[in-house]
Amino acid sequence: MQTIQQSFKIEYNYSVFFTEYLFDHSNTLLADFFKKFSEEGFQRKALVVVDEGFAAHHPGLADQIRTYFAAAVPNIQLAADIIMVPGGEASKNDPELFNKLAQAVDTYGIDRHSFVIGIGGGAVLDLVGYAAAVSHRGIKLIRIPTTVLSQNDSGVGVKNGINFHGKKNFLGTFAPPVAVFNDLTFLRTLDDRDWRGGIAEAIKVSLIKDQAFFEWIEEKATALANRDEAAMSYLIHRCAEMHTDHIAGGDPFEFGSSRPLDFGHWAAHKLEYLTDFQVRHGEAVAIGIALDCVYSEKVGKLPESDLNRILDVLNKLGFELYHPKLAENDKINLRNGLQEFREHLGGRLTIMLLDKIGKGVEVHELDADIISQSVDYLESSKIIHTL
Amino acid sequence: MQTIQQSFKIEYNYSVFFTEYLFDHSNTLLADFFKKFSEEGFQRKALVVVDEGFAAHHPGLADQIRTYFAAAVPNIQLAADIIMVPGGEASKNDPELFNKLAQAVDTYGIDRHSFVIGIGGGAVLDLVGYAAAVSHRGIKLIRIPTTVLSQNDSGVGVKNGINFHGKKNFLGTFAPPVAVFNDLTFLRTLDDRDWRGGIAEAIKVSLIKDQAFFEWIEEKATALANRDEAAMSYLIHRCAEMHTDHIAGGDPFEFGSSRPLDFGHWAAHKLEYLTDFQVRHGEAVAIGIALDCVYSEKVGKLPESDLNRILDVLNKLGFELYHPKLAENDKINLRNGLQEFREHLGGRLTIMLLDKIGKGVEVHELDADIISQSVDYLESSKIIHTL
Ligand SMILES: NC(=O)c1ccc[n+]([C@@H]2O[C@H](COP(=O)([O-])OP(=O)(O)OC[C@H]3O[C@@H](n4cnc5c(N)ncnc54)[C@H](O)[C@@H]3O)[C@@H](O)[C@H]2O)c1
Ligand SMILES: NC(=O)c1ccc[n+]([C@@H]2O[C@H](COP(=O)([O-])OP(=O)(O)OC[C@H]3O[C@@H](n4cnc5c(N)ncnc54)[C@H](O)[C@@H]3O)[C@@H](O)[C@H]2O)c1
Ligand SMILES: [Zn+2]
Ligand SMILES: [Zn+2]
């Protein structure tokens, strides 16, 4: 019997909108978006899930959302309850939260033509995105990211996930949202660490792909450190754009094993673990970038002057570039991270290093001694930040 | 700030192979398939998960698989254990089985470049497919279906799923396999009900799309009822081909709400529930088809002569075409199934009826009285099968 050869393509489209005061009655962006889902005699539903850490700073939020929908989005029926989930990594560690969301989808009759709207940081959006992606085999997801990192990186991409038996992002899918709404004003209540953290991802993409963007960040480093909103607005937009371009232009669902956007991430992932997530993702990425830049310089790729400029910007923004856990157990813990990263990629190890600012280069192994020396370099040149 | 417009396409390709004695050392099909995954200095892994109900009839299976891989597939390293899961719907009802599979993926270091190989009926393949699809955001899945239904329908498609809080297929994804291997000889140990059940799906596709195929089934009805393997081989191939063509040509991930392949399924789903899955999927589909054909005739679409031919074929194959649960509570239970099917599709109800043999036609409502009359018709014309 002849082999059947199956072949098809799936097309995904979504917009990332930039706005301020999203739920203000005078802002029609969200209402306009929903208009295109109007259909005679048929009301779609929406289930809103909010990050408690965000909600704590925005006490009127639930009412504001209800008022907005009642006034401006007649074709969408909000579920009776707005669901709250704890913010941060805790949301991805507790399988009961996943069950709670799946149960809510069922309870409120949210079907494949309805929406789940996630509002919060990257962690909550990862949880909500996962629950939406697997309930009824996929409900339309709208992301409203409320941290710098989620507005310029995690929230505009195609991945979601939760942790399983202590393994980070072990369960998840590739599932593009139907829309992302980035509201700059939501960032005002972030603490300094989370404001800063997301900037590391912008530095990351600039270093591997766009010298001009790096130079812009260099120029604006003080403004960014001082929470200048205009500067942050541009940084987020450019970084989000580079992420979405990269996803569309490359391998959106990561079937291969090259992951250029994971520059600086092999050590970052390990450091997050070693510190039990006390070092946050963006902070860990800043250290990971610093480490891989020093390494790049030591193996004769990155010019020393470039290295110094990179470390300068990171320092100016207030990032710590060293952590004692990097040197723990004679750095064996850290080097294990390399092995774990290989497993995470599957197959061949592929690590991004830098040739120069704005130009990454992939290699397939790292030398343990040079990693060690790079850690020593970061330790010896560390700056004590007075926060 | 300007809106970012994201857009990309994902391409999926996979083959459905037809063979006999798949794990026999003289059969190189599987080994040949894996050859294209050879890569210098890098061994991929594979985790095999088997349906216990199938394994019970094939006691030497685990050893045969190990011997086959050791001899013919040097580039793939089998996980130390072959995982067994209970067969049938039980596998989709127990969340612990999902956890067990995800845990095995972790324990055996199965990464995104490794394989999960599921062997069994549609239920086990749905569970294994789901666990593979969400572990590490998707591991390559190979399906080896062992029932007629899974070889000609569920196993060659793109869906997976498990039940959640009693809701059938509530959790799942669209996740194409990397290959499907249909072994005709595996069907020998099926009981008559499962042998017959899968034929209902072939009748279904023939009725909505291919008169010639229906006439072929008509001609071979007795041979099929008598477990003629040559006839079954052709039936499975043609049915699988029609399913894969339909998926590729239409809306593979079901973003719309039309589901032509769900002909006969609205009542079938409800009947499976009402009988607590005592009526199996294929058996329920046969009844669902009969019901919707009678309905089609009653509303003046399907000619009476066509209806009689259809009911004749179903009878000849040994399907029961009536079940007392259809009439229970004055048929209100059944009609609720229509409402549930609407929710399942999301939004507008779309039901396939027949214009004639080989030509389906979609409608957006069904009349409750005519449903009732159709049930009565099936009851009055029922044949008592002596099994
Ligand atoms: N899916 C992806 O592609 C991807 C990419 C990178 C990172 N991530 C994930 O993102 C997570 C990190 O996300 P994050 O950096 O946004 O942090 P986070 O989600 O952990 O949030 C940090 C804290 O800020 C609070 N918060 C959120 N918005 C706030 C606001 N506007 N004001 C005050 N507090 C607020 C949260 O409640 C939380 O306590 C990690 O789990 C990481 O794995 C995912
Ligand atoms: N994913 C999809 O697109 C899709 C489509 C249709 C149906 N399904 C699902 O498929 C399931 C039904 O699948 P099914 O009809 O294959 O039945 P099944 O998987 O329930 O298996 C029926 C019984 O046969 C046993 N068995 C399997 N192979 C055998 C063999 N060769 N010899 C002897 N016994 C064997 C099993 O252990 C089980 O006890 C349902 O859960 C249904 O929801 C999925
Ligand atoms: Zn990151
Ligand atoms: Zn079916």
Side-chain angles (χ1 to χ4, degrees):
Chain A
M1 283 271 145
Q2 217 185 330
T3 300
I4 295 173
Q5 188 53 56
Q6 175 67 310
S7 179
F8 58 83
K9 290 201 179 88
I10 306 288
E11 184 172 343
Y12 294 96
N13 296 290
Y14 62 92
S15 299
V16 181
F17 298 99
F18 296 84
T19 191
E20 298 184 6
Y21 306 106
L22 180 65
F23 295 118
D24 194 279
H25 64 90
S26 66
N27 187 331
T28 63
L29 188 66
L30 196 60
D32 290 343
F33 169 79
F34 278 115
K35 276 206 189 100
K36 65 172 187 261
F37 294 95
S38 292
E39 208 177 304
E40 185 76 54
F42 165 45
Q43 223 194 12
R44 293 171 196 257
K45 295 173 189 164
L47 176 70
V48 179
V49 184
V50 183
D51 183 324
E52 265 170 16
F54 173 71
H57 291 278
H58 300 256
L61 186 73
D63 285 344
Q64 215 191 353
I65 293 173
R66 275 192 249 268
T67 308
Y68 186 90
F69 272 81
V73 197
N75 62 322
I76 305 287
Q77 182 196 334
L78 283 190
D81 290 310
I82 287 181
I83 312 280
M84 295 284 166
V85 290
E89 207 61 27
S91 62
K92 293 169 67 171
N93 278 327
D94 180 359
E96 271 317 306
L97 289 174
F98 169 82
N99 285 339
K100 176 179 165 174
L101 295 186
Q103 185 55 58
V105 165
D106 186 31
T107 304
Y108 297 109
I110 305 299
D111 58 39
R112 283 171 55 78
H113 299 265
S114 299
F115 299 86
V116 167
I117 303 175
I119 306 178
V124 166
L125 294 182
D126 273 359
L127 164 68
V128 174
Y130 179 54
V134 299
S135 295
H136 293 304
R137 300 200 183 98
I139 292 163
K140 296 180 201 311
L141 173 71
I142 291 174
R143 297 200 200 107
I144 302 178
T146 62
T147 62
V148 174
L149 186 116
S150 56
Q151 290 196 359
N152 71 8
D153 181 334
S154 78
V156 303
V158 296
K159 297 196 256 185
N160 58 52
I162 60 175
N163 309 331
F164 175 77
H165 294 184
K167 300 271 164 169
K168 175 117 169 146
N169 296 330
F170 186 89
L171 298 177
T173 69
F174 290 89
V178 295
V180 180
F181 294 88
N182 276 341
D183 184 330
L184 187 66
T185 66
F186 285 165
L187 306 178
R188 286 182 186 152
T189 55
L190 279 178
D191 71 23
D192 282 343
R193 289 177 66 187
D194 286 315
W195 170 276
R196 180 189 303 122
I199 300 174
E201 303 282 3
I203 294 173
K204 173 197 76 178
V205 282
S206 77
L207 286 175
I208 58 177
K209 293 189 171 229
D210 184 353
Q211 183 184 348
F213 185 33
F214 179 81
E215 285 167 355
W216 180 92
I217 298 174
E218 234 176 356
E219 197 187 305
K220 300 287 181 180
T222 309
L224 287 166
N226 292 329
R227 301 191 66 142
D228 180 298
E229 286 190 5
M232 185 55 99
S233 169
Y234 177 80
L235 177 127
I236 287 174
H237 190 277
R238 178 68 188 136
C239 183
E241 180 177 57
M242 291 187 71
H243 271 93
T244 51
D245 281 356
H246 176 83
I247 289 168
D251 174 17
F253 288 4
E254 297 176 5
F255 296 128
S257 58
S258 161
R259 304 254 194 109
L261 292 188
D262 275 356
F263 174 56
H265 277 58
W266 75 268
H269 284 315
K270 190 67 196 178
L271 190 59
E272 286 179 82
Y273 266 108
L274 289 174
T275 62
D276 214 4
F277 297 92
Q278 293 310 302
V279 174
R280 298 182 190 166
H281 184 74
E283 295 170 335
V285 168
I287 293 177
I289 290 172
L291 185 72
D292 286 351
C293 286
V294 173
Y295 187 103
S296 299
E297 194 273 337
K298 286 200 182 293
V299 296
K301 292 184 190 298
L302 186 70
E304 196 185 346
S305 57
D306 278 13
L307 173 63
N308 291 335
R309 283 170 66 189
I310 296 165
L311 297 180
D312 262 11
V313 170
L314 291 168
N315 277 320
K316 251 198 203 147
L317 285 165
F319 286 109
E320 309 272 353
L321 299 184
Y322 177 76
H323 192 286
K325 290 273 172 193
L326 289 175
E328 208 181 51
N329 285 343
D330 218 15
K331 296 159 192 136
I332 284 174
N333 280 341
L334 180 64
R335 288 200 303 268
N336 287 345
L338 207 54
Q339 174 57 22
E340 287 155 19
F341 196 70
R342 181 204 312 273
E343 282 171 19
H344 171 71
L345 295 177
R348 231 170 140 199
L349 182 67
T350 303
I351 292 278
M352 183 65 93
L353 293 179
L354 284 195
D355 253 356
K356 60 175 189 167
I357 287 171
K359 189 161 178 311
V361 53
E362 288 189 332
V363 300
H364 296 289
E365 68 192 305
L366 293 188
D367 181 282
D369 284 343
I370 306 177
I371 293 176
S372 253
Q373 292 161 29
S374 305
V375 171
D376 293 344
Y377 180 94
L378 288 180
E379 185 179 12
S380 70
S381 57
K382 79 172 178 245
I383 293 179
I384 309 299
H385 291 273
T386 44
L387 294 173
Chain B
M1 286 266 146
Q2 215 182 334
T3 300
I4 296 173
Q5 188 54 53
Q6 175 67 310
S7 179
F8 58 84
K9 288 200 179 85
I10 306 289
E11 185 173 343
Y12 294 96
N13 296 292
Y14 61 93
S15 299
V16 181
F17 299 99
F18 295 84
T19 191
E20 298 184 8
Y21 305 106
L22 180 66
F23 295 117
D24 194 279
H25 65 90
S26 66
N27 187 332
T28 62
L29 188 67
L30 196 59
D32 290 343
F33 170 79
F34 278 116
K35 277 208 188 98
K36 63 171 190 260
F37 294 96
S38 292
E39 210 177 304
E40 186 76 57
F42 165 45
Q43 224 195 9
R44 294 172 196 254
K45 293 174 191 161
L47 176 70
V48 179
V49 185
V50 183
D51 182 325
E52 266 170 13
F54 174 70
H57 290 278
H58 301 255
L61 186 75
D63 285 343
Q64 214 192 353
I65 294 173
R66 275 192 249 270
T67 307
Y68 186 91
F69 273 81
V73 198
N75 63 321
I76 305 288
Q77 183 196 333
L78 283 189
D81 291 310
I82 287 182
I83 312 279
M84 295 284 166
V85 290
E89 207 62 27
S91 62
K92 294 169 68 171
N93 278 327
D94 179 0
E96 271 318 306
L97 288 174
F98 169 82
N99 286 338
K100 176 179 165 173
L101 294 186
Q103 185 54 58
V105 165
D106 186 31
T107 305
Y108 297 109
I110 305 298
D111 58 39
R112 283 172 56 78
H113 299 265
S114 300
F115 299 86
V116 167
I117 303 176
I119 306 178
V124 165
L125 294 181
D126 273 359
L127 163 69
V128 175
Y130 179 54
V134 300
S135 295
H136 293 305
R137 299 200 183 100
I139 293 163
K140 295 182 203 307
L141 173 70
I142 292 174
R143 297 201 199 110
I144 303 180
T146 63
T147 61
V148 174
L149 187 115
S150 56
Q151 290 196 0
N152 72 8
D153 180 336
S154 78
V156 303
V158 297
K159 298 196 255 185
N160 59 51
I162 60 173
N163 310 331
F164 175 77
H165 294 185
K167 299 271 167 170
K168 175 115 171 148
N169 296 327
F170 187 86
L171 298 178
T173 70
F174 290 88
V178 295
V180 180
F181 293 87
N182 276 342
D183 185 329
L184 187 67
T185 67
F186 286 165
L187 306 178
R188 287 184 186 150
T189 54
L190 279 179
D191 71 21
D192 283 341
R193 290 178 65 186
D194 285 316
W195 170 276
R196 180 188 303 123
I199 300 174
E201 302 284 3
I203 294 173
K204 173 196 76 180
V205 281
S206 76
L207 285 176
I208 58 179
K209 292 189 172 227
D210 184 353
Q211 185 184 346
F213 185 33
F214 178 80
E215 285 168 354
W216 180 93
I217 299 175
E218 234 175 357
E219 197 188 305
K220 299 286 181 182
T222 308
L224 288 165
N226 292 330
R227 300 191 68 143
D228 180 299
E229 286 192 5
M232 185 55 99
S233 170
Y234 176 80
L235 177 127
I236 287 174
H237 190 279
R238 178 67 188 136
C239 183
E241 183 177 55
M242 291 187 70
H243 271 93
T244 51
D245 281 357
H246 175 83
I247 290 168
D251 173 16
F253 289 3
E254 297 176 3
F255 295 129
S257 56
S258 161
R259 304 251 195 110
L261 292 188
D262 274 356
F263 174 55
H265 277 58
W266 75 267
H269 285 315
K270 190 65 194 180
L271 190 58
E272 286 178 83
Y273 266 109
L274 289 175
T275 63
D276 213 4
F277 296 93
Q278 293 310 305
V279 173
R280 298 181 190 166
H281 184 72
E283 295 171 333
V285 169
I287 293 175
I289 290 173
L291 185 71
D292 285 352
C293 286
V294 173
Y295 187 103
S296 297
E297 195 272 339
K298 285 198 183 294
V299 295
K301 292 185 191 294
L302 186 69
E304 197 186 345
S305 56
D306 279 14
L307 173 63
N308 291 334
R309 284 171 66 189
I310 297 166
L311 297 180
D312 261 9
V313 169
L314 291 169
N315 278 319
K316 252 198 202 146
L317 285 164
F319 285 109
E320 307 270 353
L321 300 183
Y322 177 75
H323 192 286
K325 289 274 173 190
L326 290 175
E328 209 181 50
N329 285 342
D330 218 15
K331 296 157 190 139
I332 284 172
N333 281 341
L334 179 65
R335 289 200 302 267
N336 286 346
L338 208 57
Q339 175 56 22
E340 287 154 23
F341 195 71
R342 181 204 313 272
E343 281 171 19
H344 172 70
L345 296 176
R348 229 171 143 200
L349 181 66
T350 304
I351 292 278
M352 182 65 93
L353 293 179
L354 284 197
D355 253 355
K356 58 174 190 169
I357 288 172
K359 188 159 180 308
V361 53
E362 289 189 331
V363 300
H364 297 289
E365 66 192 304
L366 293 189
D367 180 282
D369 284 340
I370 305 179
I371 294 176
S372 253
Q373 293 161 25
S374 305
V375 171
D376 293 342
Y377 181 93
L378 288 180
E379 187 183 8
S380 67
S381 56
K382 79 174 178 244
I383 293 180
I384 308 300
H385 291 273
T386 44
L387 294 172

